[in-house]
PDB file of all heavy atoms in Angstrom:
ATOM      1  N   ARG A 320     -35.408-102.622  18.500  1.00  0.00           N
ATOM      2  CA  ARG A 320     -36.309-103.692  18.060  1.00  0.00           C
ATOM      3  C   ARG A 320     -37.493-103.808  18.922  1.00  0.00           C
ATOM      4  O   ARG A 320     -38.635-104.155  18.442  1.00  0.00           O
ATOM      5  CB  ARG A 320     -35.536-105.015  18.058  1.00  0.00           C
ATOM      6  CG  ARG A 320     -34.634-105.254  16.894  1.00  0.00           C
ATOM      7  CD  ARG A 320     -33.917-106.601  16.903  1.00  0.00           C
ATOM      8  NE  ARG A 320     -33.095-106.739  15.701  1.00  0.00           N
ATOM      9  CZ  ARG A 320     -32.085-107.654  15.552  1.00  0.00           C
ATOM     10  NH1 ARG A 320     -31.774-108.370  16.661  1.00  0.00           N
ATOM     11  NH2 ARG A 320     -31.350-107.837  14.503  1.00  0.00           N
ATOM     12  N   GLY A 321     -37.424-103.387  20.149  1.00  0.00           N
ATOM     13  CA  GLY A 321     -38.507-103.348  21.024  1.00  0.00           C
ATOM     14  C   GLY A 321     -39.553-102.340  20.581  1.00  0.00           C
ATOM     15  O   GLY A 321     -40.722-102.488  20.989  1.00  0.00           O
ATOM     16  N   PHE A 322     -39.140-101.350  19.793  1.00  0.00           N
ATOM     17  CA  PHE A 322     -40.171-100.474  19.339  1.00  0.00           C
ATOM     18  C   PHE A 322     -40.889-101.067  18.022  1.00  0.00           C
ATOM     19  O   PHE A 322     -41.699-100.421  17.464  1.00  0.00           O
ATOM     20  CB  PHE A 322     -39.552 -99.136  18.724  1.00  0.00           C
ATOM     21  CG  PHE A 322     -38.755 -98.355  19.825  1.00  0.00           C
ATOM     22  CD1 PHE A 322     -37.740 -97.447  19.429  1.00  0.00           C
ATOM     23  CD2 PHE A 322     -39.029 -98.607  21.131  1.00  0.00           C
ATOM     24  CE1 PHE A 322     -37.066 -96.693  20.435  1.00  0.00           C
ATOM     25  CE2 PHE A 322     -38.295 -97.930  22.191  1.00  0.00           C
ATOM     26  CZ  PHE A 322     -37.292 -96.964  21.814  1.00  0.00           C
ATOM     27  N   GLY A 323     -40.479-102.248  17.514  1.00  0.00           N
ATOM     28  CA  GLY A 323     -41.079-102.832  16.341  1.00  0.00           C
ATOM     29  C   GLY A 323     -40.289-102.561  15.163  1.00  0.00           C
ATOM     30  O   GLY A 323     -40.758-102.797  13.959  1.00  0.00           O
ATOM     31  N   ALA A 324     -39.158-101.846  15.238  1.00  0.00           N
ATOM     32  CA  ALA A 324     -38.340-101.452  14.057  1.00  0.00           C
ATOM     33  C   ALA A 324     -37.490-102.639  13.569  1.00  0.00           C
ATOM     34  O   ALA A 324     -37.279-103.578  14.357  1.00  0.00           O
ATOM     35  CB  ALA A 324     -37.431-100.228  14.404  1.00  0.00           C
ATOM     36  N   LYS A 325     -37.054-102.517  12.321  1.00  0.00           N
ATOM     37  CA  LYS A 325     -36.163-103.498  11.669  1.00  0.00           C
ATOM     38  C   LYS A 325     -34.760-102.936  11.565  1.00  0.00           C
ATOM     39  O   LYS A 325     -34.530-102.042  10.728  1.00  0.00           O
ATOM     40  CB  LYS A 325     -36.690-103.829  10.328  1.00  0.00           C
ATOM     41  CG  LYS A 325     -38.067-104.351  10.295  1.00  0.00           C
ATOM     42  CD  LYS A 325     -38.574-104.489   8.814  1.00  0.00           C
ATOM     43  CE  LYS A 325     -40.119-104.861   8.737  1.00  0.00           C
ATOM     44  NZ  LYS A 325     -40.533-104.875   7.293  1.00  0.00           N
ATOM     45  N   VAL A 326     -33.870-103.404  12.430  1.00  0.00           N
ATOM     46  CA  VAL A 326     -32.442-102.901  12.513  1.00  0.00           C
ATOM     47  C   VAL A 326     -31.718-103.310  11.279  1.00  0.00           C
ATOM     48  O   VAL A 326     -31.643-104.478  10.841  1.00  0.00           O
ATOM     49  CB  VAL A 326     -31.824-103.371  13.756  1.00  0.00           C
ATOM     50  CG1 VAL A 326     -30.359-102.822  13.787  1.00  0.00           C
ATOM     51  CG2 VAL A 326     -32.503-102.734  15.021  1.00  0.00           C
ATOM     52  N   VAL A 327     -31.016-102.255  10.651  1.00  0.00           N
ATOM     53  CA  VAL A 327     -30.193-102.470   9.477  1.00  0.00           C
ATOM     54  C   VAL A 327     -28.841-101.834   9.865  1.00  0.00           C
ATOM     55  O   VAL A 327     -28.825-100.693  10.328  1.00  0.00           O
ATOM     56  CB  VAL A 327     -30.801-101.868   8.207  1.00  0.00           C
ATOM     57  CG1 VAL A 327     -29.881-102.155   7.009  1.00  0.00           C
ATOM     58  CG2 VAL A 327     -32.162-102.487   7.921  1.00  0.00           C
ATOM     59  N   PHE A 328     -27.767-102.541   9.479  1.00  0.00           N
ATOM     60  CA  PHE A 328     -26.337-101.966   9.755  1.00  0.00           C
ATOM     61  C   PHE A 328     -25.815-101.365   8.480  1.00  0.00           C
ATOM     62  O   PHE A 328     -25.957-102.059   7.372  1.00  0.00           O
ATOM     63  CB  PHE A 328     -25.470-103.028  10.362  1.00  0.00           C
ATOM     64  CG  PHE A 328     -25.864-103.415  11.702  1.00  0.00           C
ATOM     65  CD1 PHE A 328     -26.510-104.539  11.950  1.00  0.00           C
ATOM     66  CD2 PHE A 328     -25.567-102.567  12.848  1.00  0.00           C
ATOM     67  CE1 PHE A 328     -26.832-104.946  13.312  1.00  0.00           C
ATOM     68  CE2 PHE A 328     -25.881-102.939  14.161  1.00  0.00           C
ATOM     69  CZ  PHE A 328     -26.509-104.129  14.358  1.00  0.00           C
ATOM     70  N   ARG A 329     -25.229-100.326   8.558  1.00  0.00           N
ATOM     71  CA  ARG A 329     -24.470 -99.683   7.362  1.00  0.00           C
ATOM     72  C   ARG A 329     -23.239 -98.990   7.827  1.00  0.00           C
ATOM     73  O   ARG A 329     -23.146 -98.437   8.938  1.00  0.00           O
ATOM     74  CB  ARG A 329     -25.392 -98.709   6.579  1.00  0.00           C
ATOM     75  CG  ARG A 329     -26.579 -99.320   5.793  1.00  0.00           C
ATOM     76  CD  ARG A 329     -25.955-100.066   4.624  1.00  0.00           C
ATOM     77  NE  ARG A 329     -27.047-100.580   3.712  1.00  0.00           N
ATOM     78  CZ  ARG A 329     -27.709-101.724   3.867  1.00  0.00           C
ATOM     79  NH1 ARG A 329     -27.409-102.528   4.879  1.00  0.00           N
ATOM     80  NH2 ARG A 329     -28.551-102.075   3.082  1.00  0.00           N
ATOM     81  N   GLU A 330     -22.189 -98.880   7.024  1.00  0.00           N
ATOM     82  CA  GLU A 330     -21.103 -97.917   7.199  1.00  0.00           C
ATOM     83  C   GLU A 330     -21.650 -96.487   6.922  1.00  0.00           C
ATOM     84  O   GLU A 330     -22.616 -96.306   6.091  1.00  0.00           O
ATOM     85  CB  GLU A 330     -20.032 -98.284   6.151  1.00  0.00           C
ATOM     86  CG  GLU A 330     -19.315 -99.591   6.463  1.00  0.00           C
ATOM     87  CD  GLU A 330     -18.593 -99.591   7.752  1.00  0.00           C
ATOM     88  OE1 GLU A 330     -17.969 -98.543   8.161  1.00  0.00           O
ATOM     89  OE2 GLU A 330     -18.588-100.582   8.433  1.00  0.00           O
ATOM     90  N   PRO A 331     -21.157 -95.488   7.615  1.00  0.00           N
ATOM     91  CA  PRO A 331     -21.782 -94.166   7.406  1.00  0.00           C
ATOM     92  C   PRO A 331     -21.748 -93.645   5.967  1.00  0.00           C
ATOM     93  O   PRO A 331     -22.776 -93.086   5.591  1.00  0.00           O
ATOM     94  CB  PRO A 331     -20.812 -93.328   8.274  1.00  0.00           C
ATOM     95  CG  PRO A 331     -20.285 -94.263   9.371  1.00  0.00           C
ATOM     96  CD  PRO A 331     -20.128 -95.611   8.633  1.00  0.00           C
TER      97      PRO A 331
END
Side-chain angles (χ1 to χ4, degrees):
R320 283 180 177 162
F322 301 161
K325 305 172 184 177
V326 174
V327 180
F328 292 101
R329 286 292 188 273
E330 292 294 324

